[in-house]
Amino acid sequence: MRTVNDNQRNRSMMMTKIVLCAAFFILHSSFFISSAQAQPRQRRAQQQKEAQAKKKSSPSSAMSRRAQISFPTALDVPEDVVWRRDIYREINLEDDANAGLYYPVEPHGREVNLFTYIFKLAQNGYIPIYEYPTDGSDVFDESAKIEMKTMLDNYQIFYEEQNGKLKVDNSDIPSAEVKKYYLKESAYYDQANSSFHIKVLALCPVMMREDDFSDAGGAATPYPLFWLKYSDLEPFLNRQSIMTSSLNNAATMSMDDFFTMNKYRGKIYKTTNRLGKTLAQICGGDTAKLSAEQKRIEAELETFRKNIFGDPARRDSLDSIANANPANVKAALKAKAKKAKRNSSRRSKISGTKDSGGSSSGGGSGTARMSVRRQRH
């Protein structure tokens, strides 16, 4: 009996252990399953929270993406081009060709000038701006980015902060003082499709302000405010139009077309060179030499553009000169007379008559033709 009881006791103990182990396994598994389900939820919630915070702090990326989808922009300059030259121009808004970028000085309804439009985009965080260094170079990385508030403080532009956002009245935007732009463009030959392009790469608004630093003649002091990449600005420029003619007020185009079609006019003040100098530094401040250098560079660009596939105009002009030379004209007439004589002799043989000799005449030629016709009948 004792052995039987011991066996029953051992069985019951084993069953208890098995039940306890099974319960522990079930509890342990359910814990891991619940943890595994909770972890993705927490991760998703954290990612959504970070995305929302990033969107609030910098709405430019989301807005730029939507703008690029709505208004497709031109392609960037290819990296593997065989010829390229970067040019810096000074765009004077007081020139008639560029005046559409300056007026209206203050917004009239939906009509705003270029600087007011850029100012509001940068103020609301839709486009980044980059500092303009003292050497005038352009760097577009994270270290060169500047806050809009910093720029406003540096140039004493009045603003207010409301709920963490900057507010600037239209009357406080210095659009009337921004009378120039520095523009960087790249002229390049794209061998992929055998075409020549001039593409705008960057813009820098220049504020002309009369202050203590102005010269004795009262000329305003130029203050380059900041650089901005044209590719960041381009999607938004499709929304704004400018008037392109003072004679025809219906002649308008988008601001993007104005820059893409190179309708602006400006003098070259710098080219990308190994010395890193401006033309004024290279020319030593000599105005006449500077003007000549600007014209020379413009001529080089135009010559390259025209001569990509050779110069058909030059070939045509050589042909015209050759035809106008009296000696060549006389030789051409002599060759033409010999050809006419050979033709006349050939026709005479066919008709069975002899040519009377000498140069062929209209009558002889006509007789040969008559003989041929009679034989054919």
Side-chain angles (χ1 to χ4, degrees):
M1 287 293 293
R2 185 178 299 168
T3 303
V4 174
N5 291 335
D6 289 341
N7 290 337
Q8 290 178 349
R9 190 181 301 111
N10 290 334
R11 269 194 223 99
S12 62
M13 291 176 65
M14 288 293 293
M15 290 298 295
T16 303
K17 288 181 179 179
I18 292 172
V19 171
L20 290 174
C21 289
F24 177 77
F25 179 77
I26 292 171
L27 290 173
H28 195 64
S29 299
S30 61
F31 172 76
F32 277 107
I33 291 172
S34 61
S35 299
Q37 291 178 346
Q39 190 172 3
R41 290 198 196 101
Q42 292 176 356
R43 190 183 300 114
R44 285 195 297 271
Q46 182 67 21
Q47 289 175 350
Q48 290 176 357
K49 189 175 180 180
E50 291 177 356
Q52 290 176 356
K54 187 176 181 180
K55 186 176 179 181
K56 288 180 180 179
S57 61
S58 179
S60 60
S61 58
M63 185 62 187
S64 298
R65 198 174 298 112
R66 288 198 299 271
Q68 288 174 358
I69 293 172
S70 302
F71 302 96
T73 58
L75 298 176
D76 294 332
V77 179
E79 296 182 357
D80 58 345
V81 295
V82 295
W83 188 91
R84 171 178 174 175
R85 192 166 190 183
D86 292 340
I87 304 292
Y88 295 80
R89 296 183 182 273
E90 182 180 283
I91 308 299
N92 190 346
L93 301 188
E94 293 181 340
D95 293 345
D96 185 67
N98 309 317
L101 301 175
Y102 185 69
Y103 296 100
V105 176
E106 289 195 13
H108 293 291
R110 295 183 60 184
E111 294 182 9
V112 296
N113 68 4
L114 178 59
F115 180 72
T116 301
Y117 194 49
I118 291 174
F119 188 95
K120 290 182 177 293
L121 290 173
Q123 176 187 344
N124 294 318
Y126 293 138
I127 56 174
I129 58 176
Y130 302 84
E131 67 176 337
Y132 183 93
T134 54
D135 62 354
S137 60
D138 51 291
V139 179
F140 301 106
D141 54 24
E142 289 296 323
S143 63
K145 283 185 178 180
I146 58 173
E147 297 293 332
M148 189 66 177
K149 184 178 178 181
T150 304
M151 193 276 296
L152 297 176
D153 290 333
N154 290 342
Y155 298 101
Q156 301 177 359
I157 301 172
F158 181 78
Y159 66 92
E160 294 179 352
E161 282 191 80
Q162 296 180 356
N163 299 324
K165 294 184 178 180
L166 300 176
K167 181 181 178 182
V168 182
D169 291 336
N170 291 335
S171 58
D172 294 321
I173 300 175
S175 59
E177 295 179 293
V178 177
K179 297 181 179 180
K180 291 183 180 181
Y181 282 89
Y182 293 151
L183 180 145
K184 180 183 180 181
E185 65 183 16
S186 183
Y188 65 96
Y189 172 70
D190 186 359
Q191 70 274 13
N193 52 19
S194 301
S195 57
F196 180 81
H197 301 276
I198 298 178
K199 182 173 177 58
V200 179
L201 301 181
L203 287 173
C204 172
V206 182
M207 183 172 62
M208 306 298 294
R209 176 171 287 181
E210 296 181 4
D211 52 16
D212 296 337
F213 297 99
S214 301
D215 58 22
T221 304
Y223 290 98
L225 299 179
F226 50 81
W227 278 111
L228 59 101
K229 293 168 64 176
Y230 187 76
S231 58
D232 293 333
L233 182 63
E234 189 175 11
F236 301 97
L237 293 184
N238 283 290
R239 305 178 180 183
Q240 287 297 124
S241 61
I242 61 172
M243 187 166 57
T244 56
S245 172
S246 299
L247 302 177
N248 180 10
N249 301 145
T252 60
M253 66 171 55
S254 70
M255 288 185 177
D256 180 42
D257 287 340
F258 182 83
F259 287 106
T260 302
M261 298 171 67
N262 310 121
K263 295 295 185 181
Y264 54 87
R265 295 293 178 269
K267 294 182 178 180
I268 299 174
Y269 73 89
K270 180 183 176 182
T271 63
T272 299
N273 54 77
R274 288 173 291 183
L275 299 176
K277 293 182 178 181
T278 64
L279 295 186
Q281 292 172 331
I282 294 174
C283 297
D286 188 335
T287 305
K289 190 175 180 181
L290 174 62
S291 179
E293 186 68 10
Q294 291 170 335
K295 292 178 180 178
R296 184 187 66 80
I297 296 172
E298 294 281 11
E300 285 179 351
L301 294 174
E302 186 64 16
T303 301
F304 182 84
R305 184 185 68 82
K306 287 184 176 180
N307 294 333
I308 293 176
F309 306 106
D311 191 354
R314 187 168 180 268
R315 290 197 299 269
D316 293 342
S317 64
L318 290 176
D319 292 341
S320 301
I321 293 171
N323 291 333
N325 191 328
N328 293 334
V329 172
K330 186 176 180 180
L333 291 175
K334 188 175 181 181
K336 186 176 181 181
K338 288 183 178 179
K339 184 177 180 182
K341 183 178 179 180
R342 286 195 301 268
N343 291 338
S344 177
S345 300
R346 191 179 298 114
R347 285 193 293 266
S348 298
K349 291 179 180 179
I350 293 174
S351 62
T353 62
K354 291 185 178 181
D355 194 2
S356 59
S359 62
S360 63
S361 62
S365 177
T367 304
R369 285 197 296 269
M370 291 293 289
S371 301
V372 171
R373 290 196 190 100
R374 281 196 294 271
Q375 285 186 359
R376 285 176 182 171
H377 288 299

